[in-house]
Amino acid sequence: MIQSIEELEAIRKSCQSMVTRSSSLSAGTAIIPIPGLDIGSDVAILMRLIPKINEKFGLSPEQIDSLDVESKLFVMTAISNTGSKMAGKYITRKLIVLLLNKMAGKVAAKNVSKFVPFVGSAVAGSISFTAMKYMGNSHIDDCYEIALAALENERFETAVVIESALESEYQEPTQDNSRLY
């Protein structure tokens, strides 16, 4: 479990670097004028990238399953509240293709642009880089929001426990009036 905002920020930066590297790889593949190659490559890239991001934020299915019941319920609610389609889930080819289909306009523009000599490949690479970067960074933002909520919830619960312990330790002893009768 993430222990501090500083640790959470470091994870975010590390994941953003991974996304930039993956986006560059996607752009490089998109430049090759073979229709369909880039889509297969993007699916493969995302199949590796998304689980790595989930794991770094403590949001892989296995990590969530290992939480106590209350923490697991809180994290699953936070995932639901962000609307994330990939946090806490097993990433399948079908899920990645579904998400890529939501970006169908960019994918179509990328494929059509390949048929324009020279400039078309550069445009396809640029579109691919931008789309991959957008998808990756959006997922990072979702994971960050979920992990931050979990961290704040953990801190709140710890504060309540400490406050409760302090209150019970410093309470004035009450007089037992039952002995008077």
Side-chain angles (χ1 to χ4, degrees):
M1 175 145 297
I2 297 169
Q3 302 296 318
S4 69
I5 297 286
E6 293 78 17
E7 183 182 355
L8 189 56
E9 287 295 331
I11 290 168
R12 176 193 261 180
K13 285 183 182 181
S14 170
C15 288
Q16 287 170 336
S17 293
M18 284 190 326
V19 166
T20 300
R21 284 190 305 274
S22 295
S23 298
S24 297
L25 182 60
S26 175
T29 305
I31 290 172
I32 301 168
I34 300 173
L37 176 67
D38 54 339
I39 299 295
S41 172
D42 285 351
V43 169
I45 289 168
L46 289 168
M47 292 279 299
R48 284 189 309 268
L49 179 65
I50 299 303
K52 284 182 184 177
I53 292 170
N54 283 343
E55 188 176 323
K56 284 193 173 273
F57 280 99
L59 297 172
S60 72
E62 297 82 11
Q63 289 167 314
I64 292 171
D65 284 344
S66 71
L67 296 173
D68 62 80
V69 175
E70 285 181 28
S71 297
K72 187 186 304 186
L73 182 59
F74 183 86
V75 168
M76 296 308 289
T77 301
I79 289 171
S80 177
N81 289 342
T82 65
S84 176
K85 304 278 187 255
M86 298 182 283
K89 297 192 175 65
Y90 289 101
I91 305 303
T92 63
R93 188 171 292 280
K94 183 177 179 180
L95 177 61
I96 296 297
V97 170
L98 179 72
L99 293 170
L100 286 172
N101 282 338
K102 287 187 176 187
M103 300 189 77
K106 289 181 181 179
V107 171
K110 180 172 66 170
N111 287 333
V112 168
S113 69
K114 285 186 175 192
F115 296 107
V116 178
F118 304 112
V119 176
S121 290
V123 170
S126 176
I127 291 170
S128 189
F129 180 88
T130 303
M132 183 67 66
K133 187 113 170 142
Y134 174 79
M135 284 185 69
N137 284 338
S138 292
H139 183 58
I140 290 169
D141 291 344
D142 288 347
C143 289
Y144 182 90
E145 189 177 321
I146 294 162
L148 179 61
L151 178 62
E152 289 173 348
N153 183 60
E154 185 71 28
R155 287 181 173 177
F156 176 75
E157 287 179 356
T158 301
V160 168
V161 168
I162 291 170
E163 184 179 313
S164 177
L166 289 174
E167 282 179 0
S168 66
E169 188 174 313
Y170 292 110
Q171 278 185 342
E172 296 278 332
T174 57
Q175 188 175 14
D176 186 6
N177 290 334
S178 64
R179 293 185 186 183
L180 297 176
Y181 297 101

